Amino acid sequence: MTEDFDGFCSRQWADFSYCLPEGESLGQVQRRNVDALETALRAGICSK
Protein backbone atom coordinates (compact mmCIF):
# COMPACT_ATOMS: atom_id res chain seq x y z
CA MET A 1 0.00 0.00 0.00
CA THR A 2 1.10 3.55 -0.50
CA GLU A 3 1.32 6.36 2.04
CA ASP A 4 -0.06 8.92 -0.44
CA PHE A 5 -3.11 7.12 -1.85
CA ASP A 6 -4.63 10.26 -3.41
CA GLY A 7 -1.36 11.06 -5.17
CA PHE A 8 -1.04 7.46 -6.34
CA CYS A 9 -4.60 7.50 -7.77
CA SER A 10 -4.03 10.81 -9.53
CA ARG A 11 -0.81 9.57 -11.09
CA GLN A 12 -2.39 6.28 -12.22
CA TRP A 13 -5.29 8.08 -13.90
CA ALA A 14 -2.90 10.54 -15.56
CA ASP A 15 -0.62 7.74 -16.82
CA PHE A 16 -2.29 4.38 -17.54
CA SER A 17 1.16 2.72 -17.67
CA TYR A 18 2.12 3.82 -14.14
CA CYS A 19 2.24 1.19 -11.42
CA LEU A 20 3.96 0.50 -8.15
CA PRO A 21 6.75 -2.09 -8.05
CA GLU A 22 5.19 -5.55 -8.18
CA GLY A 23 1.90 -3.82 -9.10
CA GLU A 24 -0.37 -3.58 -12.12
CA SER A 25 -1.08 -0.48 -14.18
CA LEU A 26 -4.59 0.61 -15.13
CA GLY A 27 -3.66 -0.15 -18.74
CA GLN A 28 -2.79 -3.73 -17.79
CA VAL A 29 -6.01 -4.09 -15.81
CA GLN A 30 -8.02 -2.72 -18.72
CA ARG A 31 -6.39 -5.11 -21.21
CA ARG A 32 -6.92 -8.10 -18.90
CA ASN A 33 -10.59 -7.23 -18.42
CA VAL A 34 -11.25 -6.65 -22.13
CA ASP A 35 -9.55 -9.96 -22.96
CA ALA A 36 -11.70 -11.78 -20.39
CA LEU A 37 -14.89 -10.17 -21.69
CA GLU A 38 -14.03 -11.03 -25.30
CA THR A 39 -13.34 -14.64 -24.26
CA ALA A 40 -16.68 -14.82 -22.43
CA LEU A 41 -18.53 -13.36 -25.41
CA ARG A 42 -16.91 -15.81 -27.83
CA ALA A 43 -17.81 -18.71 -25.52
CA GLY A 44 -21.41 -17.54 -25.30
CA ILE A 45 -21.18 -17.05 -21.54
CA CYS A 46 -22.72 -13.58 -21.77
CA SER A 47 -25.52 -14.45 -24.19
CA LYS A 48 -29.14 -15.01 -23.28
Side-chain angles (χ1 to χ4, degrees):
M1 196 57 158
T2 180
E3 293 293 318
D4 179 15
F5 186 73
D6 289 337
F8 167 73
C9 288
S10 294
R11 185 162 178 193
Q12 257 199 327
W13 281 105
D15 177 3
F16 264 42
S17 66
Y18 174 75
C19 66
L20 295 174
E22 308 287 327
E24 188 174 32
S25 71
L26 289 179
Q28 291 169 312
V29 171
Q30 182 181 51
R31 182 75 258 156
R32 182 170 44 83
N33 284 311
V34 169
D35 289 346
L37 179 58
E38 288 174 344
T39 298
L41 290 170
R42 279 193 300 275
I45 294 169
C46 297
S47 63
K48 290 183 179 183

